[in-house]
Amino acid sequence: MTAVKLTAANLSRLPPGVQVPTYDRSALPHAIVHMSVGGFHRAHQALYLDDLLHRAGPRWGICGVGLLPFDARMRDVLAAQDRLYTLVERSAAGDQARVVGSIVDYLFAPDGVDAVVEKLAHPDCRIASLTITEGGYFVDHGTGELALGDPGLQRDLANPHAPTTSFGILAEALDRRHRRGLPPFTIMSCDNMQENGDVCRRMFVAFATRRDPALGAWVAERGAFPNAMVDRITPATTDAHRALVRDRIGVDDGWPVVCEPFRQWVIEDRFALGRPAWEEVGAQMTSDVKPYERMKIRLLNGSHQALCYIGMLVGQRFADETMADPDIRRLVEIMMDAEVTPLLDPVPGIDLARYKKTLVERFGNPALRDQLARIGTEGSARIPKFVAPSIEDRLARGGPMRTLCFTVAAWFRYLDGRDDQGQPLPMNDPMEAELTRRAREGREDPGPLLSMRALFPEALANAAAFRDQVADDLEALYRDGARAALRRCLASAAAG
């Protein structure tokens, strides 16, 4: 099969099994400006909008924004492909491919941040959406307040008209809208955080207020920050994925997206300047996202943290390998069933037993080959949000937290940088240098890591039941090795 280069002019030449956009992309207003266009955004929010654009009704288009130097590659690939890309849903039943056209422009902030600010300040912009990762909201996890000491925020406060961070760019754009008599756009977080809209609102308003109290008050009064729960497992694109799309599907795409068939989006219906009719294409609009967020973050994201670090320590590299490992699968099941589920409130329309069964099946999808390194990215942001809240609830209510504590210990052992065979472990964390230094300083002693108030509040770090169990597990991980320590944890959990 000779692959066809993906461009707008070549859409009619693509293989017949590949769905392509049938709407006029040139007529779409840049009503949504999305900051940080990665695989997840393209597999999720951009796809929902693409579905909607194939229907009759109001038109919305996306202008993507790259914030960091490494986004230059995305800029170049999307420019060469007229902002089109191939999305492939993979499962044991086979592959389904389509071309997504909802991203109609892309700006690279390091090329000229003023163009990004003006795009946001333009009357066409009605929503600024974000997938900036959990660490992008500048939360000091020790205090829960804005981390004003962050160098990027300090730089943007000192130079507000030449911003570099997402918050600085949004604040400058909103300041221009305020001065021009335009209403504020909605800021919509699409990141994996419980109450992500509320967190975004609190952190951003604090930043805007520090920049200009009048701006902060205007955004607080007139702006909207809807909460949202997003879910779709989307591995990082690899050369193997590019080869799959080229050789088996027949599309020459520099940056395709590969994902699972499952997707979910629950959105709080609170927008300042309207929104697309996402409910027409499967999203759930609600007045209260919190039960869905809590369920997903505690069960899916918490379990991801449980399987990825121990998986890498025993030499595995993919999620489906961990779910084929009886010990790790049991670890995940005990965490979900015995330790986390009793902490959850009822979720409207959700059968938790069925939801958990689906999670195990999704984690074990052999066609997806989701990388443990991706799942373990930014543990300094994910452990405090996905695992620690369940531990804090257990400390308050009582009950088992054996696997939850083991997950923290496995992360601490992983931070030492090598698995049990002495092989280097992949790590991607903005706090990597400090985390690795403290992990190697403490080794069997979790104290140096637990004393990091940006990660562990004092009350949690000093809770004897938590601290002692993590110390016991960490000692076992170093003394006996990851496999033996895992089995010891499982035996202890089974004994109650």
Side-chain angles (χ1 to χ4, degrees):
M1 177 186 297
T2 300
V4 177
K5 176 63 179 176
L6 180 58
T7 65
N10 286 342
L11 288 177
S12 62
R13 299 178 53 218
L14 296 182
V18 179
Q19 177 185 330
V20 300
T22 57
Y23 49 87
D24 182 3
R25 298 175 67 229
S26 67
L28 296 177
H30 301 172
I32 300 173
V33 177
H34 182 82
M35 305 189 77
S36 192
V37 177
F40 182 76
H41 170 70
R42 294 189 295 147
H44 194 270
Q45 300 97 41
L47 182 66
Y48 276 93
L49 189 60
D50 187 73
D51 281 342
L52 192 58
L53 288 168
H54 281 93
R55 297 173 171 233
R59 310 276 86 181
W60 295 69
I62 297 171
C63 174
V65 174
L67 296 171
L68 301 172
F70 63 71
D71 292 322
R73 184 179 172 201
M74 181 69 76
R75 171 201 62 194
D76 296 342
V77 170
L78 289 181
Q81 299 179 177
D82 301 314
R83 273 71 63 186
L84 296 165
Y85 61 92
T86 313
L87 183 140
V88 183
E89 296 179 353
R90 304 208 76 192
S91 71
D95 299 333
Q96 296 292 324
R98 64 188 286 182
V99 173
V100 178
S102 55
I103 299 176
V104 293
D105 197 6
Y106 186 90
L107 298 174
F108 181 54
D111 280 344
V113 72
D114 198 67
V116 177
V117 172
E118 278 300 310
K119 182 69 69 172
L120 287 157
H122 193 279
D124 280 352
C125 178
R126 299 162 75 179
I127 297 171
S129 56
L130 314 172
T131 47
I132 52 177
T133 76
E134 299 87 346
Y137 293 84
F138 304 103
V139 181
D140 183 326
H141 296 292
T143 65
E145 302 301 323
L146 181 68
L148 275 170
D150 179 87
L153 294 187
Q154 287 292 317
R155 185 170 57 248
D156 283 0
L157 287 171
N159 303 279
H161 304 305
T164 59
T165 68
S166 56
F167 276 18
I169 292 169
L170 291 169
E172 175 64 10
L174 285 166
D175 182 67
R176 293 186 191 184
R177 291 177 75 104
H178 190 202
R179 295 176 187 277
R180 295 170 187 175
L182 295 172
F185 44 70
T186 296
I187 299 179
M188 180 174 68
S189 170
C190 298
D191 281 298
N192 280 317
M193 300 186 299
Q194 191 168 340
E195 302 178 14
N196 54 7
D198 294 343
V199 171
C200 183
R201 182 185 193 279
R202 193 168 67 253
M203 297 304 110
F204 180 74
V205 169
F207 173 78
T209 300
R210 179 60 66 102
R211 170 187 158 135
D212 177 356
L215 177 64
W218 180 70
V219 172
E221 178 185 356
R222 300 278 306 277
F225 297 79
N227 292 300
M229 185 269 267
V230 297
D231 190 6
R232 187 169 222 185
I233 295 174
T234 308
T237 299
T238 65
D239 287 339
H241 293 146
R242 293 180 181 90
L244 165 77
V245 172
R246 181 185 65 243
D247 300 337
R248 292 177 56 183
I249 297 173
V251 182
D252 182 3
D253 186 335
W255 208 324
V257 182
V258 173
C259 60
E260 64 173 337
F262 179 92
R263 54 171 154 152
Q264 187 177 19
W265 197 5
V266 184
I267 312 167
E268 183 182 13
D269 202 353
R270 179 160 53 100
F271 289 78
L273 297 174
R275 60 169 178 80
W278 287 304
E279 67 273 19
E280 294 182 7
V281 289
Q284 181 177 348
M285 309 304 300
T286 181
S287 61
D288 186 8
V289 176
K290 293 180 178 63
Y292 301 92
E293 290 175 328
R294 187 181 180 93
M295 171 192 73
K296 188 258 181 175
I297 286 172
R298 300 282 186 103
L299 290 174
L300 187 152
N301 297 112
S303 296
H304 258 166
Q305 298 300 288
L307 66 85
C308 75
Y309 301 117
I310 190 63
M312 286 189 279
L313 287 171
V314 300
Q316 296 165 351
R317 293 297 178 261
F318 297 97
D320 58 296
E321 291 178 334
T322 69
M323 298 313 290
D325 183 315
D327 293 335
I328 298 180
R329 181 177 177 131
R330 186 64 184 141
L331 178 79
V332 169
E333 290 173 339
I334 291 172
M335 174 185 281
M336 289 199 295
D337 292 340
E339 300 186 11
V340 175
T341 297
L343 302 173
L344 300 175
D345 297 325
V347 184
I350 299 292
D351 179 333
L352 280 180
R354 183 184 299 274
Y355 179 77
K356 289 183 288 185
K357 181 176 183 294
T358 301
L359 287 182
V360 171
E361 293 170 353
R362 292 169 61 197
F363 293 163
N365 183 343
L368 204 57
R369 303 295 280 167
D370 195 11
Q371 304 98 326
L372 298 183
R374 181 196 73 84
I375 298 170
T377 295
E378 293 195 16
S380 62
R382 297 182 178 191
I383 289 288
K385 292 184 177 72
F386 302 159
V387 178
S390 292
I391 296 172
E392 290 173 316
D393 283 354
R394 277 299 178 197
L395 289 169
R397 303 187 196 185
M401 57 179 189
R402 188 69 185 78
T403 65
L404 290 162
C405 292
F406 182 81
T407 296
V408 175
W411 180 50
F412 285 1
R413 169 65 184 84
Y414 156 85
L415 292 173
D416 200 351
R418 292 188 178 272
D419 65 17
D420 280 356
Q421 290 72 47
Q423 296 301 310
L425 291 166
M427 199 173 302
N428 180 3
D429 196 297
M431 301 178 69
E432 179 180 342
E434 180 67 8
L435 291 168
T436 299
R437 184 187 70 77
R438 287 175 179 256
R440 292 172 178 169
E441 171 191 331
R443 286 185 61 82
E444 296 91 342
D445 176 12
L449 287 164
L450 289 176
S451 66
M452 296 179 70
R453 289 296 164 262
L455 306 181
F456 299 99
E458 186 173 0
L460 174 60
N462 292 333
F466 167 64
R467 188 183 187 97
D468 293 349
Q469 186 61 68
V470 170
D472 185 59
D473 285 331
L474 188 56
E475 181 180 2
L477 284 161
Y478 276 104
R479 181 188 66 232
D480 305 326
R483 178 67 67 179
L486 170 59
R487 290 176 173 168
R488 178 175 176 267
C489 168
L490 294 175
S492 174

